Structures are given as C-alpha cells and as structure tokens.
Amino acid sequence: MKQDCQNNESLLDGIKYKLRNLQSLINHAQEAEADGQMIVNSLRDTYKLPGSYLLDKDITINLGSIRDIFNQNDDIYIREFTITALGLKAAIAYIEGMVDKEIISQTVIHQLLSPKLGETCTDTRQLFECIHTSLTSAAVKIETKMEAIVKSMLSGDTALFVDNNAAAVIIATRKFELRAISEPMNESTVRGPRDSFTENLQVNITLLRRRLVNPNFIVKKMAIGMRCEVDVALVYFRGITNPSLVYQAEQRLKGLKVDMVSSSGMVENLINDHPFSPFPTIYATERPDKIVAGMMAGKIAILVDGTPFVLLAPATLIDYMQAGDDYYENWLVGSLLRLTRCLAAVFAMTTPALYVAVTTFHPALIPIPLMLTIATARIGIPFPAFLEGLLMEVLLEILQEAGVRLPKTIGPAISIVGGLVLGDSAVRAGLVSAPMVVIISFTAIVSFALGSYRISMPLRLFRVALMIAGAALGMFGVIMGVIAIIIHLSTLECFGEPYLAPLTPKNSARLSDLKDTVIVAPPLAMKSRPAYLEQVDSEKLEDK
C-alpha cells in the first residue's frame, strides 16, 4: 500500500512537471504571436508619400488612397453620399477639430443635395466647374494632385470627391482655436502699444499690415520642412530694403533641409552666420511695433507659423540696448534710459570680476575705510573671494531658473524669498561675506535693466569667465578678457553687416548713424535711415 502511494505521488509530480512545461510553451507561443503581429503592423505602418498616389476617375480608388495615406488616424472623417440631382456618388474628407462643421453642413452638403443643382449642372463634362460656382464658400479650388489635396486637408480644408472625376474640389473650411491677442509677456513698455504676436501666421501678418498700410509691404510665403511642412513668411518694405538682403534671406530659408521647423528659434539657429557665438545676431521679438520700426529702417523680418516670436535681421549689439520707450518719450529722457542700459550691461558683466581682482591682487586700490570694512566682513570666511562669487553665481542662476520654470503664481515669490533667505543664511553661517552678497545682488538687478533678456544670457556666461581671469591674473586678466570679448564682437556679422555697427562706422558717411546708439538724438536730427543697411531710399524725413 505504501509503495502504491509513492508511485501515485511520483506520477502526480510528473503530471505537474508536464503541465508546467505546457504552460511555459503556451506563454512562449503567445509571445511569439504578439511579436509576429508587431512585425506585421510595422510592415504595414510604413511612411506614406502622398505624391506616390495618383487620382483616378473611380471614387472608390480615391477614397481608398485617402484611407491608406491616413492609415490608423482616428480623426480622419470621410462621409459618402449621392448627389441626387446628378445621380453621382460623392464624398467629403476632412480632419476633425480643424474644420468648421457649420460651413460644411450649410455650404457643402446643403448645396450638393439641393435639387436645383441639376438645373445648373447639365453638362457632366463641366461638372467640377459647375460645382465650383455653386458652392458659396469663400475659397474653392480644384486640385488634380493627391499631394496637394492631402496638404490642404492637413491645413483644415475639406476635400470633395465626385465619381467619374480624377480631381477633387478643395473647400476652405478652416477653423482653429486661437489664442487671443494679448499684451507682450517678455517686453513690457510704459507708453507703447499693448498688442503682441500670436502663434497664428496670418494674424501676425495682419498685425503688421494694420501699421504698414502700403502695397509695398511685401509678404513672401514658403513652406519649410521635408516631412512636415511649416509655413514661413519673409516680409520687408519694397523701396527701402536692400534687394540683396532680401535675396540672401530668401536663399537661406529655401536652403533649409530639415524634417520640420518647430519654432522661429530653430530657424534663427539654422540661418545664423555664427552659430557657435553666444551673442544673438538675429533679433527675436513679440512686439509688432519693433518689427515695423526695423522694416522701415531697411531690415527684413521672418515669421514662422506656430510661434509668437518674429525674427528681425540684421541685428546689431546696440539693438539689444534699445527699447520702445526710448522713442515714445522725450529724446533727453530716452537718451538717459539708453545710457543707463549700456552702463548696466557693462556692470552686469564686469562687477564681480573687478571685485574678485581688486580684493585678491590690488587691495591698495580700495580706500582704507572701505578695505577695513571688507576685511572685517571676510573674517572667518573659509573660501577665497573667487569661490565666494562662484558659489553666489550658481545660487543666483538656480533661483532665476526656478523663477522661470515654476508657475507664474508662485515663481516670483519663490525667487525673492529664496534669494533673501539663502543669502541671509549664507552670511550668518559664515559661508560668504556680506559684501559679496551685495555685489552679486547688484549684478542681478542691473542684468534685468537691459533692453532684451536674450543679451543677458551671454553676459552671464562671460561674467564667470571674467571672474576666472580676475582670480588668476588680477586686473590684467579682467582687461585682457574684456579685450578678447571686444575682438570677438568685432568679428561677428549678420547677413554681411558688422555686429558692432553703427558703433564702428566704415567711413565718415556713416558717422550720422551714431545719433541713435548710446544716446537718442532728437527726431528732427535723424532725417536718414541707418547708412550701414544700404537701403534703396535712405531718407525718411524730407527737408521743409
């Protein structure tokens, strides 16, 4: 009996072992089936080239091509129906969320199903022309290429297919959710206009046309992108802008070979003359009045669909010191504001380096009472002045980045409170001295007084480089660093124009450009446009 029980147990163990093997085999089979299905889907999910599809007179083939091109897209809507007045099959295709269904219902479907269509369309050979005139949509056109039809659908239009016709009627039914025109988020002004660019290209062009009521305001549109085309507009004022500048910009834009253009910043980096320089050589702004002023001076502007920042070229260093209030206020007030910004740029880049160099190598340059105050404050500080400054710079950068990335409701509060608490705690803990906190705080404040936020980025970068030079070589290192920066700036160009223009005029004829640099001359004194741009018409104010 005991032997039989042992035999039964061994038999059960064998059955369990075989069942486990069977379950493992089933699992492997299911995994193999899933892998096979994935391979089949990947073979089916190949990149679609709309240009490889040809239109046919059979509407079934055309709709099959549309379904194949937009394979696995659940937002593609195709509605088939019959034009009863003509006895022909028809279908409309569009992308949901990008069209105005009210226009489709009233303008397209209602008109095509109307019995009156048979009275006006008696000749089937001229069917599309008849439908073209019957539809009351604002824009209707006939396309004979599948690539153009797909592009129109992706832009929000509706495609109408009719049997026995190797073409499609494209009906303008675009309707997007757009952000309303609002005040500039990054470039505020006291007396200037309150509108700013949006993410819609046509809205941005309209903002410019409202100000430039002249047929010589030229808009050249082009599509950039090898896989996803994005509309880009090159705008300028004919009769003022140098044609060679327009030609250069147009050729650079047409020469871009990228999958898609995600923003104007990407275009800027691709057409930049000096991509490895930290200084921005193409101006980016969200203010229409700045773009208009630049075009009236002889510059070109580049607008990219989907971004609220417009590019203005060529840009110079002095452009980043300018603000709208310089021209909206009295010229004396504007000159004071401009000069203040120029000095702020110098202080923002050199103040920490000068402090490190003087306290480390040249303490005799500081008055004795002030030197004693600094020396007293540094008693017990375990780090040299350079490491103090570097520590505070890192802390400042972190706080600034946190203020930008955090939600706007708490970002500024975190930056202010964090700066106060951390600065006070660092001084109390004996990690940094109070004079260094004052120096870094002053540097942060003056960096916010610049005309453009973008110019503060390279200044912050070179501020650290000058601190290293000052810690290593003292005032000699700081001076050599500043000279190296000036040499670098003198080598930069934008579309052939010097980056330091008009501060470094090529000849005496361009000395007049200095009227709008560090100071702002009275409006009556600036009768001509900047000579360095070599405009077609350089005079902007006629003599009385």
Side-chain angles (χ1 to χ4, degrees), residues 28-257:
H28 285 302
Q30 291 176 344
E31 292 177 359
E33 182 183 7
D35 293 339
Q37 186 63 37
M38 186 181 300
I39 294 173
V40 172
N41 292 336
S42 65
L43 292 175
R44 290 177 179 175
D45 192 20
T46 56
Y47 183 70
K48 306 297 182 181
L49 291 173
S52 62
Y53 293 82
L54 299 177
L55 287 172
D56 194 89
K57 289 189 175 181
D58 189 349
I59 188 175
T60 305
I61 296 177
N62 293 335
L63 295 180
S65 299
I66 291 294
R67 290 189 176 96
D68 189 45
I69 292 172
F70 291 99
N71 184 29
Q72 299 183 8
N73 278 289
D74 296 332
D75 58 347
I76 299 299
Y77 182 82
I78 298 177
R79 176 182 175 182
E80 301 182 46
F81 57 93
T82 301
I83 303 177
T84 54
L86 303 176
L88 292 174
K89 293 182 179 179
I92 57 172
Y94 58 84
I95 300 177
E96 289 187 295
M98 301 183 69
V99 299
D100 189 339
K101 293 186 178 181
E102 188 69 22
I103 295 179
I104 295 176
S105 176
Q106 298 298 325
T107 303
V108 183
I109 303 299
H110 179 74
Q111 294 291 334
L112 294 177
L113 297 182
S114 174
K116 296 181 180 179
L117 185 63
E119 300 175 2
T120 57
C121 297
T122 57
D123 189 357
T124 56
R125 291 174 297 179
Q126 304 295 327
L127 176 64
F128 266 23
E129 287 76 6
C130 182
I131 293 177
H132 185 283
T133 57
S134 299
L135 296 177
T136 57
S137 180
V140 180
K141 61 181 179 179
I142 299 175
E143 290 288 355
T144 58
K145 295 183 178 180
M146 182 62 73
E147 184 176 9
I149 295 171
V150 171
K151 183 178 179 181
S152 298
M153 290 177 59
L154 292 172
S155 300
D157 294 333
T158 298
L160 169 64
F161 297 93
V162 181
D163 202 14
N164 296 329
N165 288 274
V169 178
I170 304 300
I171 308 163
T173 56
R174 303 181 185 185
K175 183 181 180 181
F176 306 111
E177 296 296 330
L178 302 177
R179 180 172 64 90
I181 297 174
S182 60
E183 291 190 18
M185 299 293 293
N186 303 313
E187 300 174 83
S188 59
T189 184
V190 178
R191 293 186 58 182
R194 303 298 185 189
D195 56 346
S196 64
F197 291 115
T198 68
E199 287 76 12
N200 185 270
L201 178 62
Q202 196 56 51
V203 172
N204 294 341
I205 294 175
T206 304
L207 289 173
L208 297 177
R209 282 208 179 275
R210 285 175 54 192
R211 291 170 166 84
L212 296 173
V213 187
N214 193 304
N216 290 299
F217 169 61
I218 305 300
V219 178
K220 290 187 176 182
K221 290 185 178 181
M222 60 195 78
I224 298 178
M226 300 174 64
R227 290 183 181 268
C228 300
E229 292 186 344
V230 176
D231 291 331
V232 176
L234 173 65
V235 299
Y236 62 95
F237 202 93
R238 182 172 55 195
I240 295 180
T241 307
N242 192 325
S244 64
L245 175 59
V246 178
Y247 177 77
Q248 284 187 62
E250 193 172 1
Q251 292 303 309
R252 292 190 190 187
L253 290 174
K254 291 182 178 179
L256 296 181
K257 303 298 181 183

Side-chain angles (χ1 to χ4, degrees), residues 474-490:
M475 289 295 294
F476 176 76
V478 176
I479 294 173
M480 293 303 296
V482 172
I483 293 175
I485 294 173
I486 295 175
I487 293 174
H488 173 69
L489 290 172
S490 65

Side-chain angles (χ1 to χ4, degrees), residues 404-422:
V404 172
R405 305 303 169 194
L406 285 173
K408 295 186 181 300
T409 54
I410 62 174
I414 292 295
S415 298
I416 296 172
V417 174
L420 292 174
V421 172
L422 290 178

Side-chain angles (χ1 to χ4, degrees), residues 437-480:
V437 174
V438 173
I439 292 294
I440 298 300
S441 302
F442 171 76
T443 303
I445 292 173
V446 295
S447 65
F448 297 146
L450 303 178
S452 173
Y453 174 76
R454 298 187 64 212
I455 197 62
S456 67
M457 305 302 290
L459 295 184
R460 286 153 63 177
L461 177 64
F462 285 114
R463 184 164 65 213
V464 177
L466 290 179
M467 286 176 60
I468 297 174
L473 302 173
M475 289 295 294
F476 176 76
V478 176
I479 294 173
M480 293 303 296

Side-chain angles (χ1 to χ4, degrees), residues 14 24 26 29 51 112 155 170 200 206 221 261 263 296 305 309 324 339 365 368 403 432 438 449 497 524 529:
S24 177
I26 293 173
L112 294 177
S155 300
I170 304 300
N200 185 270
T206 304
K221 290 185 178 181
V261 175
S263 66
M296 294 305 294
D305 192 23
F309 289 93
L339 184 60
L365 296 177
I368 295 177
V432 295
V438 173
E497 300 299 336
L524 294 177
R529 298 181 176 89

